[in-house]
Coordinates of all heavy atoms in Angstrom, one line a residue:
M520 N 0.8 -1.1 0.1 CA 0.0 0.0 -0.1 C 0.9 1.3 0.0 O 1.9 1.3 0.7 CB -1.0 0.0 1.2 CG -2.1 -1.0 1.2 SD -3.2 -0.8 2.5 CE -2.3 -1.3 3.8
P521 N 0.5 2.2 -0.7 CA 1.3 3.3 -0.8 C 1.2 4.4 0.5 O 0.2 4.3 1.2 CB 0.7 4.3 -2.0 CG -0.8 3.8 -2.1 CD -0.6 2.4 -1.5
I522 N 2.2 5.0 0.8 CA 2.2 6.0 1.9 C 2.1 7.3 1.4 O 2.9 7.7 0.5 CB 3.5 5.8 2.7 CG1 3.4 4.4 3.3 CG2 3.5 6.8 3.9 CD1 4.7 4.1 4.1
Y523 N 1.1 8.1 1.9 CA 1.0 9.4 1.4 C 1.5 10.4 2.4 O 1.1 10.2 3.5 CB -0.5 9.8 1.0 CG -0.9 9.0 -0.3 CD1 -1.8 8.0 -0.1 CD2 -0.4 9.3 -1.5 CE1 -2.2 7.2 -1.2 CE2 -0.9 8.6 -2.7 CZ -1.7 7.6 -2.5 OH -2.2 6.9 -3.5
E524 N 2.1 11.5 2.0 CA 2.5 12.5 3.1 C 1.6 13.7 2.9 O 1.5 14.2 1.9 CB 4.0 12.9 2.8 CG 4.6 13.8 3.9 CD 6.1 14.0 3.8 OE1 6.5 14.3 2.6 OE2 6.9 13.8 4.8
F525 N 1.0 14.1 4.0 CA 0.1 15.3 4.1 C 0.7 16.3 4.9 O 1.5 16.0 5.9 CB -1.2 14.8 4.5 CG -2.1 14.0 3.7 CD1 -2.0 12.6 3.6 CD2 -3.0 14.5 2.9 CE1 -2.7 12.0 2.7 CE2 -3.9 13.9 2.1 CZ -3.5 12.5 1.9
F526 N 0.2 17.6 4.7 CA 0.7 18.8 5.4 C -0.5 19.4 5.9 O -1.5 19.7 5.1 CB 1.5 19.6 4.7 CG 2.1 20.8 5.4 CD1 3.0 20.8 6.3 CD2 1.4 22.1 5.1 CE1 3.4 22.0 7.0 CE2 1.7 23.3 5.8 CZ 2.7 23.2 6.8
C527 N -0.7 19.6 7.1 CA -1.8 20.3 7.7 C -1.7 21.8 7.9 O -0.7 22.4 8.3 CB -2.2 19.7 9.2 SG -3.6 20.5 9.9
D528 N -2.6 22.5 7.2 CA -2.5 23.9 7.1 C -3.0 24.5 8.5 O -2.7 25.8 8.6 CB -3.4 24.4 5.9 CG -2.9 25.7 5.2 OD1 -1.7 25.8 5.4 OD2 -3.6 26.4 4.7
D529 N -3.6 23.8 9.2 CA -4.1 24.4 10.4 C -3.1 24.4 11.5 O -2.9 25.4 12.3 CB -5.4 23.6 10.9 CG -6.6 23.8 10.0 OD1 -6.6 24.8 9.3 OD2 -7.5 22.9 10.0
C530 N -2.3 23.2 11.8 CA -1.4 23.2 12.9 C 0.1 23.2 12.2 O 0.9 23.0 13.0 CB -1.7 22.1 13.7 SG -1.6 20.4 12.9
Q531 N 0.2 23.2 11.0 CA 1.5 23.3 10.3 C 2.4 22.2 10.5 O 3.5 22.2 10.8 CB 2.3 24.6 10.8 CG 1.5 25.9 10.6 CD 1.3 26.3 9.2 OE1 2.2 26.3 8.4 NE2 0.0 26.5 8.7
K532 N 1.7 20.9 10.7 CA 2.4 19.7 11.0 C 2.2 18.9 9.7 O 1.1 18.9 9.0 CB 2.0 19.0 12.3 CG 2.4 19.7 13.4 CD 1.9 19.0 14.6 CE 2.3 19.7 15.8 NZ 1.7 19.1 17.1
K533 N 3.2 17.9 9.5 CA 3.0 17.0 8.4 C 2.9 15.6 9.1 O 3.5 15.2 10.1 CB 4.2 17.0 7.4 CG 5.5 16.8 7.8 CD 6.4 16.9 6.7 CE 7.8 16.6 7.0 NZ 8.1 15.3 7.3
F534 N 2.2 14.7 8.3 CA 2.0 13.4 8.9 C 1.9 12.4 7.7 O 1.5 12.8 6.5 CB 0.8 13.4 9.8 CG -0.5 13.7 9.2 CD1 -1.4 12.9 8.6 CD2 -0.9 15.1 9.1 CE1 -2.5 13.3 7.9 CE2 -1.9 15.6 8.5 CZ -2.8 14.6 7.9
D535 N 2.1 11.2 7.9 CA 2.0 10.1 6.9 C 0.8 9.3 7.0 O 0.5 9.0 8.0 CB 3.2 9.2 6.9 CG 4.5 9.9 6.5 OD1 4.6 10.7 5.8 OD2 5.6 9.7 7.2
V536 N 0.2 9.0 5.9 CA -1.1 8.3 5.9 C -0.9 7.0 5.0 O -0.5 7.1 3.8 CB -2.3 9.1 5.4 CG1 -3.5 8.1 5.3 CG2 -2.5 10.3 6.3
L537 N -1.0 5.9 5.6 CA -0.9 4.7 4.8 C -2.3 4.2 4.4 O -3.3 4.0 5.4 CB -0.3 3.6 5.8 CG -0.2 2.1 5.1 CD1 0.9 2.1 4.0 CD2 0.3 1.1 6.2
C538 N -2.6 4.2 3.0 CA -3.9 4.0 2.8 C -3.8 3.1 1.4 O -2.9 3.1 0.7 CB -4.7 5.2 2.6 SG -3.8 6.4 1.6
S539 N -5.1 2.4 1.2 CA -5.1 1.8 0.0 C -5.4 2.6 -1.2 O -5.7 3.7 -1.1 CB -6.2 0.7 0.1 OG -7.5 1.5 0.3
M540 N -5.3 2.1 -2.5 CA -5.4 2.8 -3.6 C -6.9 3.4 -3.7 O -7.1 4.3 -4.4 CB -5.1 1.8 -4.8 CG -3.7 1.3 -5.0 SD -2.5 2.8 -5.1 CE -2.7 3.2 -6.8
S541 N -7.8 2.7 -3.2 CA -9.2 3.0 -3.3 C -9.6 3.9 -2.2 O -10.8 4.4 -2.2 CB -10.1 1.8 -3.2 OG -9.9 1.1 -2.1
A542 N -8.7 4.4 -1.4 CA -9.1 5.2 -0.2 C -9.4 6.7 -0.8 O -8.9 7.1 -1.8 CB -7.9 5.3 0.8
D543 N -10.4 7.4 -0.1 CA -10.7 8.7 -0.5 C -9.9 9.7 0.1 O -10.0 9.9 1.4 CB -12.2 8.9 0.1 CG -12.6 10.1 -0.5 OD1 -12.0 10.8 -1.2 OD2 -13.9 10.5 -0.1
L544 N -8.9 10.2 -0.5 CA -7.9 11.0 -0.1 C -8.5 12.3 0.5 O -7.9 13.1 1.2 CB -6.8 11.2 -1.0 CG -5.9 10.0 -1.4 CD1 -4.9 10.3 -2.3 CD2 -5.3 9.4 -0.1
S545 N -9.6 12.8 0.0 CA -10.3 14.0 0.2 C -10.9 13.9 1.6 O -11.3 15.0 2.1 CB -11.2 14.4 -0.8 OG -12.3 13.4 -0.8
A546 N -11.1 12.7 2.2 CA -11.6 12.6 3.4 C -10.6 12.5 4.6 O -10.9 12.4 5.7 CB -12.5 11.3 3.5
I547 N -9.4 12.7 4.2 CA -8.3 12.7 5.1 C -8.4 13.8 6.0 O -8.5 14.9 5.7 CB -7.0 12.5 4.5 CG1 -6.9 11.2 3.7 CG2 -5.7 12.6 5.6 CD1 -6.9 9.9 4.5
S548 N -8.2 13.6 7.4 CA -8.2 14.7 8.4 C -6.9 14.6 9.1 O -6.2 13.5 9.2 CB -9.4 14.8 9.3 OG -9.6 13.5 10.0
C549 N -6.4 15.7 9.6 CA -5.2 15.8 10.4 C -5.2 14.8 11.6 O -6.2 15.0 12.3 CB -4.9 17.3 10.7 SG -3.4 17.5 11.7
E550 N -4.1 14.2 11.7 CA -4.1 13.3 13.0 C -3.7 14.0 14.2 O -3.9 13.5 15.3 CB -3.0 12.1 12.6 CG -1.6 12.6 12.6 CD -0.7 11.4 12.5 OE1 -1.1 10.3 11.8 OE2 0.5 11.4 13.0
Y551 N -3.3 15.2 14.2 CA -3.0 16.1 15.3 C -4.2 16.9 15.8 O -4.6 16.9 16.9 CB -1.8 17.0 15.0 CG -0.5 16.1 14.7 CD1 -0.1 16.0 13.4 CD2 0.3 15.6 15.7 CE1 1.1 15.3 13.1 CE2 1.3 14.8 15.5 CZ 1.7 14.7 14.2 OH 3.0 14.0 14.0
C552 N -4.7 17.6 14.8 CA -5.8 18.5 15.2 C -7.1 18.2 14.6 O -8.1 18.9 14.9 CB -5.5 20.0 15.0 SG -5.4 20.3 13.1
D553 N -7.2 17.1 13.9 CA -8.3 16.7 13.1 C -8.9 17.6 12.2 O -10.1 17.7 11.8 CB -9.5 16.4 14.1 CG -10.5 15.4 13.6 OD1 -10.1 14.4 12.9 OD2 -11.6 15.4 14.0
G554 N -8.1 18.6 11.7 CA -8.4 19.6 10.8 C -8.6 19.1 9.3 O -8.0 18.0 9.1
K555 N -9.3 19.7 8.6 CA -9.8 19.2 7.2 C -8.9 19.9 6.2 O -8.8 19.6 5.0 CB -11.2 19.6 6.9 CG -12.1 18.8 7.8 CD -12.1 17.3 7.7 CE -13.1 16.6 8.6 NZ -12.9 15.1 8.7
H556 N -8.2 20.9 6.5 CA -7.3 21.7 5.6 C -6.0 21.1 5.4 O -4.9 21.6 5.7 CB -7.1 23.1 6.1 CG -8.5 23.8 6.2 ND1 -8.9 24.4 7.5 CD2 -9.4 24.1 5.4 CE1 -10.1 24.8 7.3 NE2 -10.5 24.7 6.2
V557 N -6.0 19.9 4.9 CA -4.7 19.1 4.7 C -4.4 19.1 3.3 O -5.2 19.0 2.3 CB -4.8 17.8 5.2 CG1 -4.9 17.7 6.7 CG2 -5.9 16.9 4.7
M558 N -3.1 19.1 2.8 CA -2.6 19.1 1.5 C -1.7 17.9 1.3 O -0.9 17.6 2.1 CB -1.8 20.3 1.1 CG -2.7 21.7 1.2 SD -1.7 23.1 0.8 CE -0.5 23.1 2.2
K559 N -2.0 17.2 0.3 CA -1.1 16.0 -0.1 C 0.1 16.5 -0.6 O 0.1 17.2 -1.8 CB -1.9 15.2 -1.0 CG -1.1 13.9 -1.5 CD -2.2 12.9 -2.2 CE -1.4 11.7 -2.9 NZ -0.9 12.2 -4.2
K560 N 1.2 16.2 -0.1 CA 2.6 16.6 -0.6 C 2.8 15.7 -1.8 O 2.7 14.4 -1.8 CB 3.6 16.5 0.4 CG 3.5 17.4 1.5 CD 4.6 17.5 2.4 CE 5.9 18.1 1.6 NZ 7.1 18.1 2.4
V561 N 3.3 16.4 -2.9 CA 3.5 15.6 -4.1 C 5.1 15.4 -4.1 O 5.8 16.2 -4.5 CB 3.2 16.5 -5.4 CG1 3.4 15.7 -6.6 CG2 1.7 16.8 -5.3
S562 N 5.3 14.2 -3.7 CA 6.8 13.8 -3.7 C 7.0 13.0 -4.9 O 8.2 12.8 -5.3 CB 7.1 13.2 -2.3 OG 6.2 12.0 -2.2
G563 N 6.0 12.4 -5.4 CA 6.1 11.5 -6.6 C 7.2 10.4 -6.5 O 7.1 9.7 -5.4
F564 N 7.9 10.2 -7.5 CA 8.9 9.2 -7.6 C 10.1 9.6 -7.1 O 11.2 8.9 -7.3 CB 8.8 8.5 -9.0 CG 7.6 7.9 -9.3 CD1 6.7 8.6 -10.1 CD2 7.3 6.5 -8.9 CE1 5.5 8.0 -10.5 CE2 6.2 6.1 -9.2 CZ 5.2 6.6 -10.0
A565 N 10.3 10.8 -6.6 CA 11.5 11.4 -6.1 C 12.1 10.6 -4.9 O 13.3 10.5 -4.6 CB 11.5 12.8 -5.8
V566 N 11.2 10.1 -4.2 CA 11.4 9.3 -2.9 C 11.9 7.8 -3.2 O 11.2 6.9 -3.2 CB 10.4 9.3 -2.0 CG1 10.7 8.7 -0.6 CG2 9.7 10.7 -1.7
V567 N 13.1 7.8 -3.7 CA 13.7 6.5 -4.1 C 14.0 5.7 -2.9 O 14.1 4.4 -2.9 CB 15.0 6.7 -5.1 CG1 15.5 5.4 -5.4 CG2 14.6 7.5 -6.3
G568 N 14.6 6.3 -1.9 CA 15.1 5.6 -0.6 C 14.0 5.2 0.3 O 14.2 4.7 1.3
L569 N 12.6 5.3 -0.2 CA 11.5 5.1 0.8 C 11.5 3.6 1.0 O 11.5 2.8 0.1 CB 10.2 5.5 0.1 CG 9.0 5.3 1.0 CD1 9.0 6.2 2.2 CD2 7.7 5.5 0.1
V570 N 11.4 3.2 2.3 CA 11.5 1.8 2.6 C 10.1 1.2 2.4 O 9.0 1.7 2.8 CB 11.8 1.7 4.2 CG1 11.7 0.1 4.5 CG2 13.2 2.3 4.5
V571 N 10.0 0.1 1.7 CA 8.8 -0.5 1.4 C 8.6 -1.8 2.4 O 9.5 -2.7 2.5 CB 8.8 -1.1 0.0 CG1 7.5 -1.8 -0.2 CG2 9.1 0.1 -1.0
F572 N 7.5 -1.8 3.0 CA 7.2 -2.8 4.0 C 6.6 -4.0 3.3 O 5.4 -3.7 2.9 CB 6.4 -2.3 5.1 CG 7.2 -1.2 6.1 CD1 6.8 0.1 5.7 CD2 8.1 -1.5 6.9 CE1 7.6 1.2 6.4 CE2 8.7 -0.5 7.6 CZ 8.5 0.7 7.4
L573 N 7.2 -5.0 3.2 CA 6.5 -6.3 2.6 C 6.4 -7.4 3.7 O 7.4 -7.6 4.4 CB 7.3 -6.5 1.4 CG 7.2 -5.6 0.1 CD1 8.0 -6.1 -1.1 CD2 5.7 -5.5 -0.4
Ligands
ZN1134 ZN1 -3.4 19.8 12.1

């Protein structure tokens, strides 16, 4: 499953969300303040060193 990195505009914190391909990313809320103003960081394929858990 892919890991998405989000940034919360409310509390200025970033957090990772592990979700399935079918997950509704627009329904993601901040894990710190439960805010809805989160932005998905576009890291794309630049994260080559990302550890994949299998
Ligand atoms: Zn927040």
Side-chain angles (χ1 to χ4, degrees):
M520 290 190 289
I522 299 174
Y523 293 105
E524 189 174 46
F525 285 85
F526 178 79
C527 177
D528 212 24
D529 289 340
C530 65
Q531 307 291 306
K532 288 178 180 174
K533 65 181 176 69
F534 55 96
D535 297 321
V536 176
L537 180 67
C538 51
S539 63
M540 296 296 285
S541 60
D543 185 6
L544 295 178
S545 62
I547 297 292
S548 58
C549 176
E550 67 177 33
Y551 295 102
C552 69
D553 206 33
K555 302 295 183 189
H556 303 119
V557 294
M558 295 179 297
K559 179 168 170 278
K560 291 192 65 178
V561 183
S562 53
F564 295 97
V566 188
V567 180
L569 184 68
V570 176
V571 178
F572 298 99
L573 293 174

